[in-house]
Amino acid sequence: MEQHPAPAPAGGVGTAVETIFRIESPRIIAGVARIVRDVGIAEELAQDALVAALEQWPRDGVPDNPGAWLTATAKHRAIDLVRRRERYARKLEEVGRDLSLAAPHHLDEPSDPDDIDDDLLRLVFTACHPVLSAEARIALTLRLLGGLTTSEIARAFLVPEATVAQRIVRAKRTLAAKGVGFEVPYGPEREARLGSVLEVIYLVFNEGYAATAGDDLLRPALCEDALRLARVLAELMPKESEVHALAALLELQESRSAARTGPGGEPVLLRDQQRRRWNRMLIRRGYTALSRANSVATGSPGPYALQAAIAACHAQAFAYEDTDWQRIAVLYGLLAARSPSPVVELNRAVAVSMAEGPEPALAIVDALASEPALRDYHLLPSVRGDLLGRLGRTAEARAEFRRAASLARNERERELLEARARELPEP
């Protein structure tokens, strides 16, 4: 059964505990999993550390380094667990140098030149083991790495919450039953898991870039973790085009973050963003990564390369009016052919609306109305409302924006959609 944070005590300390835990939980789980070699148990021990913090911090005060405190507490409990189990005696000897709770440090690793000393990356590759289905791999890693709830993951996947919960529970049991090692694999085995790993990193970043629920549009910690993992993976696998392409995509997307919200945290639409606030260093990094992806590509561009090329089109436009929408529409067409999905088609409709006008785009959107995966997807009525407004059909547009607001679970997005409905002129 999925673990949920214990209720926080009243007051600011309880809120601080849960906020810190949400940020630090992936690192805590990864570090503890290295000791107990079981991601399910590691998550439980991380939750135990959260409960301890909820009990002690309101009384003793928040420690100077709360992340280290949570990690130390969870590791201490992990070590106690290992000591209580005779069958883990040998593992305890192996992690002897990891018993210091003053500051986390890592064990000596094999001298293989392809090895990487990164617990978070180990956690991703472990959760993406081939013994799990593709859906279970992604759901489990989003839960462990992203700290997302089942409802947030279900929203990202556009599937029922109960389905995600079952996937996560079964995945943990399967990894434990099969004795899957907590490691970054080598050679062909690493390549076999790569597609799932890239998708997980991509989805974690997306959740940070546009949170599916809550009061904030952005969750920067998730973006930072995903971007760091993409960079590390690009160094680890320099000949994999899609690895560099994913890194390029995330660099370019992250470059806009500072301009995507206003002073009060409200969303700022792409057309209204102050582009001088876009991070030019990240844009340059994105261009470099995309160039590397193209230089090692051996066939037609993959889905991340196409998305990175779309992001590069936006980055190259110094003003919204300068955007090469014709090229973006073509790239979305290629992406729809390469990786067809209703969401890609919806994005293509937006590009078509800018390149050719709202009427042909509306035909694309209307064709998506019967898609089961988009039934509760708030961006479908949002895009339709924008197109109808541009066509002068304001009453219909207002209804679509209100419907989109009713479906949105992120408070900031809901406020924006309600404001767009109010701003439309009366017929």
Side-chain angles (χ1 to χ4, degrees):
M1 193 168 182
E2 182 186 355
Q3 297 287 321
H4 292 284
V13 173
T15 301
V17 172
E18 293 197 350
T19 300
I20 294 165
F21 181 79
R22 183 134 185 174
I23 294 170
E24 298 290 340
S25 62
R27 296 180 183 84
I28 298 170
I29 294 169
V32 172
R34 195 172 187 184
I35 298 172
V36 298
R37 304 287 168 170
D38 185 307
V39 294
I41 293 175
E43 187 181 14
E44 292 175 7
L45 292 171
Q47 293 285 339
D48 287 347
L50 170 63
V51 172
L54 290 171
E55 292 173 350
Q56 296 181 38
W57 292 7
R59 182 187 67 234
D60 303 334
V62 179
D64 292 337
N65 191 335
W69 189 99
L70 288 166
T71 300
T73 301
K75 283 189 174 184
H76 182 74
R77 292 174 186 235
I79 292 163
D80 285 346
L81 177 63
V82 172
R83 283 174 172 156
R84 288 197 302 268
R85 297 182 178 183
E86 290 184 2
R87 66 177 178 272
Y88 285 132
R90 200 172 91 182
K91 292 184 180 179
L92 182 59
E93 293 176 8
E94 294 173 356
V95 300
R97 277 178 289 182
D98 199 35
L99 301 187
S100 172
L101 302 180
H105 57 276
H106 301 296
L107 301 176
D108 289 338
E109 295 298 323
S111 57
D112 191 295
D114 283 339
D115 187 60
I116 182 164
D117 186 15
D118 189 295
D119 282 340
L120 282 176
L121 204 57
R122 285 188 180 88
L123 182 60
V124 177
F125 271 97
T126 300
C128 290
H129 196 280
V131 297
L132 304 177
S133 69
E135 295 83 2
R137 296 174 205 170
I138 296 167
L140 178 61
T141 311
L142 286 173
R143 171 67 183 153
L144 298 178
L145 179 72
L148 307 187
T149 64
T150 53
S151 62
E152 289 170 336
I153 299 170
R155 184 73 171 177
F157 278 123
L158 306 177
V159 296
E161 185 174 340
T163 301
V164 173
Q166 290 173 357
R167 288 175 185 171
I168 292 172
V169 170
R170 290 171 183 166
K172 291 177 184 176
R173 290 174 180 168
T174 300
L175 290 176
K178 298 290 185 180
V180 172
F182 185 67
E183 61 186 5
V184 177
Y186 300 99
E189 187 180 354
R190 178 183 292 174
E191 294 173 7
R193 298 192 214 176
L194 183 58
S196 289
V197 170
L198 295 180
E199 188 170 4
V200 164
I201 294 173
Y202 174 71
L203 288 172
V204 170
F205 180 88
N206 280 351
E207 178 58 29
Y209 192 72
T212 56
D215 296 331
D216 298 317
L217 179 69
L218 308 179
R219 293 173 61 185
L222 290 184
C223 290
E224 290 170 6
D225 275 338
L227 186 52
R228 185 180 64 83
L229 288 171
R231 290 169 178 168
V232 167
L233 201 59
E235 294 300 319
L236 180 66
M237 308 183 77
K239 296 181 181 179
E240 290 290 341
S241 175
E242 280 289 84
V243 173
H244 291 296
L246 177 62
L249 173 62
L250 302 195
E251 299 278 10
L252 292 168
Q253 294 288 79
E254 179 65 11
S255 71
R256 304 182 212 157
S257 289
R260 292 185 62 241
T261 54
E266 67 278 6
V268 179
L269 297 175
L270 179 62
R271 68 181 180 224
D272 300 324
Q273 289 176 16
Q274 297 179 18
R275 300 195 172 206
R276 64 177 179 274
R277 298 188 65 197
W278 288 8
N279 189 316
R280 306 311 299 182
M281 182 193 72
L282 292 179
I283 290 174
R284 287 192 295 272
R285 290 181 65 103
Y287 290 160
T288 300
L290 185 55
S291 176
R292 288 174 180 165
N294 293 333
S295 69
V296 298
T298 56
S300 58
Y304 296 115
L306 291 168
Q307 291 179 76
I310 292 168
C313 285
H314 288 296
Q316 289 163 358
F318 289 102
Y320 184 75
E321 296 74 19
D322 299 332
T323 306
D324 189 350
W325 289 108
Q326 292 283 354
R327 175 166 170 72
I328 291 175
V330 169
L331 289 168
Y332 267 121
L334 293 173
L335 182 60
R338 178 71 171 76
S339 301
S341 83
V343 173
V344 169
E345 194 68 2
L346 184 62
N347 285 324
R348 186 174 78 85
V350 174
V352 167
S353 77
M354 301 304 298
E356 304 175 24
E359 196 163 343
L362 185 60
I364 298 173
V365 172
D366 286 344
L368 295 171
S370 60
E371 285 286 346
L374 299 183
R375 184 180 59 187
D376 297 323
Y377 190 49
H378 70 286
L379 291 182
L380 178 62
S382 173
V383 171
R384 193 167 190 273
D386 182 71
L387 298 176
L388 290 169
R390 289 167 59 188
L391 288 168
R393 296 160 60 177
T394 54
E396 295 171 81
R398 186 180 297 106
E400 290 292 335
F401 281 129
R402 286 173 177 163
R403 179 169 176 265
S406 71
L407 294 173
R409 296 182 61 192
N410 182 279
E411 186 61 29
R412 296 296 189 175
E413 285 191 301
R414 184 182 300 116
E415 291 171 356
L416 174 65
L417 291 164
E418 289 172 347
R420 295 197 71 185
R422 289 192 302 269
E423 290 165 2
L424 285 167
E426 292 293 335

